[in-house]
Amino acid sequence: MEGQTVAIIGPQDAVTSHVVSHVANELQVPLLSFSATDPTLSSLQFPYFVRTTQSDQYQMAAIAEIVDHYGWREVIAIYVDDDHGRNGIAALGDTLAAKRCRISFKAPLSVEATEDEITDLLVKVALTESRIIVVHTHYNRGPVVFHVAQYLGMLGTGYVWIATSWLSTALDTNSPFPSDVMDDIQGVLTLRTYTPDSVLKRKFISRWRNLTDAKTPNGYIGLNAYGFYAYDTVWLLARAINSFFKQGGNLSFSKDSRLSDIQGHLRLDSLRIFNGGNLLRDSILQANMTGTAGPARFNSHGDLINPAYEIINVIGTGYRRIGYWSNYSGLSVVRPETLYSKPPNRSSSNQRLYSVIWPGQTTQKPRGWVFPNNGRHLRIGVPNRVSFREFVSVKGSEMTSGFCIDVFTAAINLLPYAVPYKLIPFGDGHNNPSCTELVRLITAGVYDAAVGDIAIITNRTKMADFTQPYIESGLVVVAPVRKLDSNAWAFLSPFTPMMWGVTAIFFLAVGAVVWILEHRLNDEFRGPPKRQVVTIFWFSFSTMFFAHKEKTVSALGRLVLIIWLFVVLIINSSYTASLTSILTVQKLSSPIKGIDSLRSSNYPIGYQVNSFARNYLVDELNIDESRLVPLNSPEEYAKALKDGPHKGGVAAVVDDRAYAELFLSTRCEFSIVGQVFTKNGWGFAFPRDSPLAVDISTAILKLSENGDLQRIHDKWLLRSACSSQGAKLDVDRLQLKSFSGLYLLCGLACLLALFIYLMQIVHQFSRHYPGDTESNGGSSRSARLQTFLSFVNEKEDEVKSRSKRRHVERTSYRSEDEMSSCNSNRKHIELSSNLSLDSDTRNCNGSS
């Protein structure tokens, strides 16, 4: 650096790169590294550092996607405790967090760790829960880690080992490995920086092989990805210097005034600043070439474009590629350069890898975790209830039973592995404990899980993960009910008053319409006015029983009657069914109809002590807290409900449906009123991202499918129902809206029939009584209206016969007129002829 240095290639490790980068920044000398993958060597902190290989940021992203692809959630990181190891694992933690995964245990190794130190560290790793282990070390320590792990039995079935690119670099450089080393890494996954195949790459490999075969005693030295990047870095710098000179750059240096006064054996005062450093750095970053490792171009962050890795599975004496990872499309079995020409697709269905042979020579995907082998049992908190002990009952410090406990035990027994656990009571034994507080203690580390009658509600799901619900539940209103006895007017109960009124109106309206349509045609609908009124009423209400004796003869009348009889059939059937139910099913009544009527009243409301019902009523329904009365047992429920709001009791109790049903199984004087107004269920709580929660959920589904869950329910919660269990709360009257469609159809049919009938009458009247267009007086209109009403009241047969007579009379009159006209014409002709003859005779006599 004392000489006229314009660029630096190297160093090869991250630690030295950090130190030299500070010097390069001060002297404005570009520093190109083909092997320092530390992601913290960024262009922001070190603007003159140029990484000509891929950053570990992308390698860690690839590992995170592999972990997420196989459904694992926690990993253990073994790394060398230097800048390279720490910063790489920090990047892994960030990328795992983006996938909702995490590093559960970090195991740092010193740079010169001995085998004993590695052994002690791996013993700690073996005692942890996760079995997904990422090894991010240097080549000199990595094989020792795997050798010790093999000795400790940590490369057997159930483990997953993922090594970063140091292992693939060693395999490419020193292959084949000795057999004992290969035995230590069987089933391991490793990543290798992807370099696409090309003619230039193949020629370089051939030249390299010829060079190393002749110059080294051990024969061919393998080429790894860093070798390609080193070769391309030299060419990249050469092209950049050429571009530097073309842009007018020159080699000039200046002193740094800050260093001139520093004396010492480092001779810092002799260092010079490269004046063309900025231009040369820009020329490097603007390079556009294709080398042996592929395209050499930089993005806006100073990283090489198109980062990609091969995913390798070590098997036998070699390895096999199981897929690729690229920053463009994620995991794939297709080469990355093929995907660059297509739109990026990171959907889960598009993420694929070939099958893997895992440690232990198995192809079955490892579960990824076990219970810690440290002799500690899972601490499971159980609510120590003082009421409704059918769900959870704690007897002493060891004996625990109940519906919830049996469900949990049955689910644990279905797991394919053993779960050591201990049930620990939570609560003072005098009051029911708060399940929300029990769940919070999981996040505090006091318990590893919580089992019991724990409702899955919003604020609890923010603190822990829950299993699949094993019983449906929700808040309900329990209130006192009384029996309703039948009375003399019970037959009116099936219909509401509105329904009765509309039905009666339609009976009369249909009778009137049929009378109008039949009046001119049917003798049964004619007669004196009194008789016709009686006919309308009789016909209307006799259709209710299909007992009408009058026959309809008009087509429109029959249409209306058919539709009306269909409506009557439906009404009769509904009435009969409803009345039967009213008279045969026991009926109950309560002043409280549900949660809405309870909210609108000012009555006190009971709730179970430490139940989430209290917070729901206050926070969600805005019920004043002064109205709420805490109750601790079914006996207190019954007493408060019997006393009622006027004697120091409550109007109703709001509680979870499961408790309410158990309470009502032996108390028939109370009932659930209204509908369930919250929907939730009960589940078991576990820490966030606990894999055991997923397995327990699967086991609960199996219990539900094979019927064991129902059998456990019947064992603890099935009670002999009291006589009122089949009772009906209040009377379900038939509403008008249930029949509005039928009435609308019938009404439209009547209106349509009347309209057609009116058009026919007007047409007939205009034919039989043509109007006088010259008469416009009021008396003429009144006379014509009276004539029209008389015409409507006449029987159609009479009108037709009178019309016929008129037609005959008109015809005879017309014939007589025509005959008299002909006779007069004939006489006129004869008279004219005689007059003509007399004139001719006189003319003849005169001439003679």
Side-chain angles (χ1 to χ4, degrees), residues 40 183-184 214 255 300 306 510 525 545 621 627 644 705:
T40 62
D183 290 342
D184 293 339
K255 287 187 177 182
S300 59
N306 299 334
V510 170
F525 289 86
F545 312 101
L621 301 184
R627 294 176 55 192
E705 292 169 358

Side-chain angles (χ1 to χ4, degrees), residues 48 71 132 325 500:
Y48 286 91
I132 314 300
W325 176 90
W500 278 116

Side-chain angles (χ1 to χ4, degrees), residues 30-33 47-52 236 281 284-285 298 302:
L31 171 62
L32 291 80
S33 178
Y48 286 91
F49 177 82
V50 180
R51 194 193 331 269
T52 57
L236 177 68
R281 180 197 59 191
I284 294 171
L285 294 176
F298 297 92

Side-chain angles (χ1 to χ4, degrees), residues 639-768:
K639 183 178 184 304
L641 289 171
K642 287 180 179 177
D643 291 344
H646 304 296
K647 296 182 180 180
V650 297
V653 172
V654 175
D655 205 353
D656 211 298
R657 179 180 175 181
Y659 302 126
E661 290 180 346
L662 187 61
F663 170 73
L664 296 175
S665 63
T666 55
R667 295 172 174 85
C668 303
E669 64 271 27
F670 311 111
S671 179
I672 294 175
V673 294
Q675 302 295 321
V676 179
F677 56 93
T678 65
K679 294 289 186 180
N680 52 44
W682 291 359
F684 306 132
F686 289 88
R688 283 287 190 186
D689 300 320
S690 171
L692 185 58
V694 178
D695 290 350
I696 291 292
S697 293
T698 304
I700 290 173
L701 290 175
K702 290 181 180 178
L703 290 174
S704 178
E705 292 169 358
N706 61 25
D708 287 345
L709 189 60
Q710 184 62 43
R711 282 188 283 272
I712 297 173
H713 176 277
D714 295 344
K715 170 187 174 183
W716 288 97
L717 306 180
L718 189 64
R719 296 288 183 269
S720 57
C722 60
S723 59
S724 67
Q725 288 301 305
K728 190 175 184 181
L729 188 62
D730 286 341
V731 178
D732 293 332
R733 292 188 167 190
L734 298 176
Q735 304 289 329
L736 176 62
K737 63 181 180 181
S738 303
F739 302 91
S740 57
L742 288 172
Y743 284 132
L744 179 62
L745 176 64
C746 184
L748 290 176
C750 291
L751 291 176
L752 180 62
L754 286 175
F755 178 75
I756 296 174
Y757 176 75
L758 181 60
M759 292 298 101
Q760 290 176 346
I761 290 294
V762 171
H763 177 69
Q764 292 177 10
F765 180 73
S766 62
R767 225 164 26 109
H768 294 294

